[in-house]
Amino acid sequence: VMVQNLINTAFHTVTTVQEGVELLDVFSHLATRESIKRVFDRRTVDLYSMFNEELNMVKKEFSRLQPNVPLSQPRFASVATWARLLKRRIDIPMKCLEAAYFLHEK
């Protein structure tokens, strides 16, 4: 019960997918007992939900009309840079999830 509370309490501070992956990595070796495994699985679902929320925010921002481009910037280059930055915002958490071997063992 104490380990379950520790995992749950630690996840209250998680704000990014990367932080969640790091915490799950720390606690992954403890997920051998059934009760701890349930908490671990629940937090894994929370982590994927967090990633899904980030995806939806990027999708919503991309669906918006074009970004405000300063007049001093070339129009198409600025839009391309903006789109690339949105993609990078998704790529970083996605790479963390792909690198998390302990999430794919199950």
Side-chain angles (χ1 to χ4, degrees), residues 60-80:
K60 189 183 297 182
E61 191 169 333
F62 188 76
S63 297
R64 239 179 10 138
L65 295 179
Q66 296 182 356
N68 297 330
V69 178
L71 294 175
S72 62
Q73 298 283 328
R75 180 172 171 232
F76 295 110
S78 296
V79 173

Side-chain angles (χ1 to χ4, degrees), residues 18 51 54-55 58 80-96:
Q18 295 92 327
F51 178 69
E54 183 72 20
L55 265 176
V58 168
T81 302
W82 171 75
R84 190 177 306 126
L85 289 173
L86 286 178
K87 181 182 179 299
R88 191 174 298 152
R89 201 167 128 188
I90 293 302
D91 283 343
I92 294 170
M94 186 65 192
K95 287 178 183 175
C96 284

Side-chain angles (χ1 to χ4, degrees), residues 11 27 29-31 53 62 70 86 105:
F11 261 88
F27 293 118
H29 70 282
L30 298 174
E53 287 174 18
F62 188 76
L86 286 178
E105 291 177 340

